[in-house]
Amino acid sequence: MIDKHFILEEADPQLFFGAGNANLRMLRALSPKLRITARDNVVRVIGDEDDIAAFAKQFTALERHCAQFNSLTEEDILHIVRGQHTGKEASTGVIVYSTGGRPITARSENQRRMVEAYETSDMVFAVGPAGSGKTFTGIALAVRALKNKEIKKIILCRPAVEAGEKLGFLPGDMKEKIDPYLQPLYDALEEMIPPGKLQEYIDTNIIQIAPLAFMRGRTLNDAVVILDEAQNTTSAQIKMFLTRMGMNTKMIVTGDRTQIDLPPSQRSGLIEAMRILRDVPGIAFIEMNKKDIVRHKLVTRIVEAYEQDARQRKEEKGTDQTDK
């Protein structure tokens, strides 16, 4: 008899063991010669060497399935233990699977172009209106790279700029002050990574979420780095961010030209960077539009209404100048 410990490194323990440990009980039933116990993310198995060797192969396959699809049912366990297909083979075009097992794919032509650009370029600028999926798609690509062990960490950052508010006037410590600015990034991550696993990644700095100012002086290696709301960076800030790029790192920069919250006297670093870097090899630029909006249908109508108002104001301004 030997005693061996298996550690869940990729899959979330709650998903792996199932509600009320139903999956764990099924594993015990399928391996009656083994004594199987579990605590936290560790599975302890006692039995003969050959039986444990067979269990080790099954455990690896089960963990890989759970991590990839963010789900593990008793039916999945039965098929995997018996060496059969689960019927959940990865579909073409799927980036990752949500915490509910739903496939996350590019849902518009420009989102597909963004996925393709990520594959061929180390730096991608994705610019478009609210709801066009640029940030969500970028985070999905980063999560996929982490799951596939192509990188060691994900770094997400935003400039802490908000009209009419200053960090110093918000209550709490620094984390509590900056969390409201970073909440959209948490929201996207929570759709793709189970809560327990996400908290583990954050606690161990595998996933880092921070304001742009925290990037100064760093060299970012083996990572996918995403700068969100880049339209609110200054020229100096975005240059500082882009030059943090290290080895085996990809950068995704997202923003919306129509939502600049900088003071009128400051130029948007995003707009300037896109102009300066337009012809640099290895950098891709994706321009999204209202056709890419995948939120509620009213969002598209709102964007269209604001665009129409902007055109009317421009025409009226031109007419006034002509009259003078």
Side-chain angles (χ1 to χ4, degrees):
M1 300 286 284
I2 61 173
D3 185 339
K4 189 166 183 178
H5 292 73
F6 298 88
I7 300 175
L8 288 168
E9 296 180 347
E10 300 177 30
D12 179 76
Q14 290 185 334
L15 286 177
F16 187 88
F17 296 133
N21 285 333
N23 292 346
L24 183 61
R25 290 197 298 272
M26 187 167 191
L27 282 174
R28 290 169 177 157
L30 292 171
S31 304
K33 295 181 180 180
L34 298 174
R35 181 183 173 189
I36 303 172
T37 57
R39 184 172 183 177
D40 297 328
N41 67 332
V42 179
V43 178
R44 182 185 181 192
V45 183
I46 300 174
D48 291 338
E49 186 174 355
D50 291 344
D51 293 330
I52 289 182
F55 178 84
K57 294 180 181 178
Q58 296 166 3
F59 179 87
T60 300
L62 289 167
E63 183 183 18
R64 187 180 299 118
H65 178 94
C66 187
Q68 180 179 4
F69 296 100
N70 273 326
S71 68
L72 185 66
T73 65
E74 293 182 10
E75 184 179 3
D76 294 334
I77 294 172
L78 194 59
H79 284 307
I80 291 171
V81 168
R82 290 176 176 175
Q84 301 170 343
H85 292 297
T86 63
K88 286 185 180 178
E89 304 306 317
S91 303
T92 303
V94 175
I95 304 173
V96 290
Y97 288 81
S98 72
T99 51
R102 174 179 60 85
I104 294 174
T105 62
R107 296 174 61 184
S108 72
E109 181 59 33
N110 283 323
Q111 287 183 17
R112 283 188 285 274
R113 288 183 59 226
M114 182 176 173
V115 174
E116 292 169 1
Y118 173 87
E119 302 294 342
T120 58
S121 304
D122 289 337
M123 186 177 292
V124 178
F125 284 77
V127 178
S132 54
K134 52 193 183 294
T135 301
F136 192 82
T137 302
I139 290 178
L141 290 167
V143 171
R144 183 185 69 180
L146 185 64
K147 284 178 175 286
N148 292 342
K149 298 184 177 180
E150 298 166 6
I151 56 169
K152 294 180 180 178
K153 55 184 176 284
I154 297 172
I155 301 172
L156 310 173
C157 64
R158 274 184 153 204
V161 174
E162 201 69 33
E165 267 190 309
K166 302 292 183 181
L167 285 176
F169 292 101
L170 296 176
D173 59 19
M174 180 54 70
K175 183 179 185 303
E176 291 170 330
K177 288 176 187 289
I178 65 177
D179 271 356
Y181 296 90
L182 306 174
Q183 191 58 49
L185 304 179
Y186 286 111
D187 291 343
L189 287 169
E190 286 168 356
E191 281 207 41
M192 304 174 203
I193 303 175
K197 198 67 181 176
L198 176 57
Q199 191 58 52
E200 177 190 329
Y201 283 152
I202 292 173
D203 291 343
T204 56
N205 284 328
I206 292 175
I207 293 180
Q208 302 171 28
I209 308 176
L212 179 59
F214 285 28
M215 296 298 106
R216 186 172 298 280
R218 301 182 64 182
T219 300
L220 308 173
N221 296 313
D222 299 308
V224 172
V225 190
I226 299 176
L227 173 59
D228 192 32
E229 299 290 342
Q231 76 275 2
N232 287 329
T233 61
T234 64
S235 299
Q237 285 175 331
I238 199 165
K239 180 182 177 183
M240 177 273 292
F241 171 81
L242 297 177
T243 54
R244 302 305 95 199
M245 192 174 192
M247 303 302 293
N248 189 37
T249 289
K250 285 182 178 277
M251 282 189 166
I252 300 174
V253 180
T254 68
D256 180 357
R257 292 190 185 94
T258 67
Q259 295 187 359
I260 298 174
D261 296 315
L262 294 169
S265 59
Q266 286 188 326
R267 289 182 298 177
S268 169
L270 173 64
I271 294 174
E272 187 171 70
M274 292 182 68
R275 176 181 61 80
I276 294 172
L277 303 176
R278 178 63 65 177
D279 298 322
V280 175
I283 302 179
F285 297 88
I286 307 299
E287 298 275 355
M288 295 186 173
N289 54 55
K290 60 190 176 186
K291 293 181 180 179
D292 298 299
I293 294 176
V294 292
R295 292 181 184 168
H296 194 284
K297 58 186 179 183
L298 277 178
V299 176
T300 304
R301 296 174 187 170
I302 290 168
V303 171
E304 289 175 345
Y306 273 92
E307 287 178 351
Q308 183 178 352
D309 179 72
R311 286 193 297 268
Q312 288 176 348
R313 287 175 179 272
K314 187 175 181 180
E315 289 171 1
E316 290 170 2
K317 185 176 180 181
T319 302
D320 292 342
Q321 289 176 349
T322 302
D323 291 342
K324 292 178 182 178

